[in-house]
């Protein structure tokens, strides 16, 4: 059985677990739980949304205070991406970082169900994690 894990890093980290290219589990975890999850599932591949692959965009008219908050948030996510890479290197698990643009746009629960066949509940973090890994499942 081949396991692929998709990760959307953040304070609420979205996790998607595929077994033999079928989505079988979605969950949200704290960043501190990522390593244990990877150890538990021993995936053949980890695919994560890598914020470092895309420059942050600040809108015109954004206040300096708002830009500072955005910068801090992006910095936190960048650090989580580095940690995921380090965990995978240490555990010798292949990994792929996917830019937010390459992952694709946010999907509603209804659209997500049509694309993946998932009939259970999901939140945006979990759907993003699933879509990160979706194109890397080696489907025929």
């Amino acid at each position: 059985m081949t396991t692929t894990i998709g990760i959307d890093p953040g304070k609420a980290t979205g996790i998607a677990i595929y077994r033999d290219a079928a989505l079988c589990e979605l969950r949200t975890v704290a960043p501190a739980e990522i390593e244990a999850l990877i150890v538990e599932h021993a995936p053949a591949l980890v695919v994560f949304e890598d914020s470092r692959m895309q420059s942050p965009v600040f809108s015109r008219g954004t206040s300096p205070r708002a830009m500072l908050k955005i910068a801090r948030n992006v910095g936190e996510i960048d650090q989580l991406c580095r940690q995921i890479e380090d965990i995978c290197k240490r555990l010798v698990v292949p990994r792929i970082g996917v830019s937010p643009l390459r992952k694709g746009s946010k999907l509603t629960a209804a659209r997500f169900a049509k694309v993946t066949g998932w009939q259970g509940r999901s939140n945006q973090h979990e759907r993003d994690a699933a879509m990160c890994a979706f194109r890397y499942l080696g489907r025929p």
Side-chain angles (χ1 to χ4, degrees):
M1 185 173 297
T2 301
T3 300
T4 301
I5 295 177
I7 303 175
D8 177 35
K11 288 180 183 175
T13 296
I15 301 290
I17 299 171
Y18 290 92
R19 289 197 185 89
D20 293 332
L23 181 57
C24 61
E25 186 177 346
L26 293 175
R27 68 169 103 159
T28 302
V29 301
E33 299 175 62
I34 295 171
E35 184 168 0
L37 187 131
I38 292 172
V39 168
E40 174 189 345
H41 291 280
L45 179 65
V46 169
V47 185
F48 64 99
E49 185 174 307
D50 192 343
S51 58
R52 300 168 301 168
M53 299 178 86
Q54 184 176 320
S55 298
V57 177
F58 299 106
S59 302
R60 281 187 170 188
T62 302
S63 72
R65 184 175 176 172
M67 287 191 302
L68 183 58
K69 182 176 182 346
I70 291 168
R72 281 192 192 114
N73 291 344
V74 170
E76 289 174 4
I77 303 304
D78 287 355
Q79 179 58 32
L80 280 174
C81 292
R82 281 189 284 281
Q83 289 173 350
I84 292 166
E85 269 190 335
D86 290 346
I87 290 165
C88 290
K89 282 181 189 176
R90 198 169 55 255
L91 298 174
V92 194
V93 174
R95 76 256 174 224
I96 299 172
V98 177
S99 78
L101 284 177
R102 183 158 166 79
K103 177 206 53 150
S105 60
K106 306 271 186 203
L107 298 180
T108 64
R111 179 76 181 126
F112 180 73
K114 285 182 184 176
V115 170
T116 65
W118 182 257
Q119 296 303 309
R121 295 178 60 105
S122 63
N123 64 41
Q124 192 62 61
H125 303 294
E126 295 164 349
R127 292 191 295 269
D128 284 351
M131 296 317 296
C132 283
F134 191 74
R135 70 177 55 203
Y136 297 96
L137 296 175
R139 298 169 191 248

